[in-house]
Amino acid sequence: VAMGGENKYASNTDFNDASKLCCNQTASRRMIEETMTALGNDKGVMLVAQNKTHQEMLGDLLIGEGVKDKDIFILTGDNSIFLTDEAVKKKIIHDYKVVIVPMNKAEGYTLTRLTVMVTCVYPSNEATREQIEGRNNRISQAAEEIEIIVVHCGILTYILKNHNQAKSLSIALSDMAKKLEIKMESG
C-alpha cells in the first residue's frame, strides 16, 4: 500500500513478480527504443540486462528492429571483451554497435568504444552499479561525454529512488575520504 498498490500483505514473490513484469515487458521495450535512437545517432551502446535470459530477449528484439547479428556482442560469464577505439582501429576486434552485458558481470571487460549505456533498474548494490557504469567510463574513453539512460516504471521507480539515496551516500563518503586525505597530506 505504501508503494501505491492494493495488496497490504505483499510478499517477496509479489515484489519480484511486479519487478519482472515492469522490466521484462514495458522497460525492455523502452530500452530497445533508446538503443535504436543512440544507434541512429551513430553512437555505440552498452545495454545492461538483468540476466542471461534477458540478454537473449534484448538481442532478439534488436535483431527484430534491424540491427545485424554481427553487430551485437552478448557478454556471458565465459567470455570477455576489450572494445576500444584503438582495438577497432587496429582491427583486433569487430566494431560492435551494441554490447549486451548482464548486471551481475560488472568487472573484467572494457567498452570505451561505446558512449551510451542503457540500463533498467535492477535490485543490486551500489558497488556493482558503480562498476558497471565504469565499463565504458574509463580513462581510455575518448568521448567528452558518456550518456547513461536508466529506464524505470512502476515499482522500479521506487527501487531507483533507493539506489539514488545509496549513490548520494557513496558520493558523500568519497568526498569525505578525499578531504581527509588532503588534510592528512598537508598536516
Side-chain angles (χ1 to χ4, degrees), residues 43-46 85 111-118 132-149:
K43 296 179 180 180
V45 179
M46 173 183 167
D85 292 337
L111 300 174
T112 56
R113 177 80 173 158
L114 310 177
T115 59
V116 177
M117 181 177 104
V118 177
I132 204 98
E133 287 179 13
R135 299 304 89 204
N136 67 348
N137 189 10
R138 304 172 76 76
I139 291 173
S140 59
Q141 177 57 260
E144 290 184 28
E145 292 183 5
I146 300 296
E147 187 175 358
I148 299 174
I149 301 167

Side-chain angles (χ1 to χ4, degrees), residues 2-183:
M3 292 184 258
E6 300 290 325
N7 187 349
K8 294 180 183 178
Y9 306 103
S11 67
N12 285 341
T13 302
D14 295 329
F15 185 83
N16 288 335
D17 288 347
S19 176
K20 286 178 188 173
L21 178 65
C22 281
C23 185
N24 289 336
Q25 293 177 13
T26 306
S28 293
R29 284 192 302 269
R30 183 62 182 195
M31 291 170 73
I32 296 302
E33 289 172 14
E34 294 291 347
T35 300
M36 295 307 295
T37 298
L39 293 174
N41 292 324
D42 203 28
K43 296 179 180 180
V45 179
M46 173 183 167
L47 187 56
V48 182
Q50 185 171 22
N51 53 38
K52 184 178 178 177
T53 303
H54 193 214
Q55 281 179 286
E56 293 168 359
M57 182 185 96
L58 292 172
D60 290 344
L61 290 170
L62 285 170
I63 291 168
E65 290 291 323
V67 178
K68 295 176 183 166
D69 186 44
K70 71 177 183 82
D71 289 331
I72 302 170
F73 184 89
I74 296 181
L75 183 70
T76 65
D78 300 346
N79 60 19
S80 187
I81 186 169
F82 191 73
L83 186 61
T84 65
D85 292 337
E86 185 177 339
V88 169
K89 184 178 173 184
K90 290 182 177 180
K91 300 189 187 290
I92 296 170
I93 189 166
H94 176 71
D95 190 11
Y96 292 101
K97 305 304 178 202
V98 180
V99 178
I100 307 173
V101 304
M103 184 66 187
N104 66 353
K105 186 167 171 100
E107 298 175 335
Y109 59 96
T110 299
L111 300 174
T112 56
R113 177 80 173 158
L114 310 177
T115 59
V116 177
M117 181 177 104
V118 177
T119 187
C120 190
V121 178
Y122 307 115
S124 57
N125 64 52
E126 181 59 22
T128 299
R129 292 188 299 277
E130 286 179 11
Q131 282 291 324
I132 204 98
E133 287 179 13
R135 299 304 89 204
N136 67 348
N137 189 10
R138 304 172 76 76
I139 291 173
S140 59
Q141 177 57 260
E144 290 184 28
E145 292 183 5
I146 300 296
E147 187 175 358
I148 299 174
I149 301 167
V150 181
V151 174
H152 58 94
C153 62
I155 199 161
L156 299 178
T157 301
Y158 175 78
I159 295 170
L160 179 61
K161 288 178 185 177
N162 288 313
H163 284 183
N164 288 338
Q165 289 172 347
K167 186 173 198 125
S168 295
L169 178 60
S170 177
I171 291 168
L173 290 172
S174 177
D175 288 348
M176 184 176 72
K178 288 176 187 173
K179 289 177 183 176
L180 288 173
E181 185 177 300
I182 291 169
K183 287 182 183 180

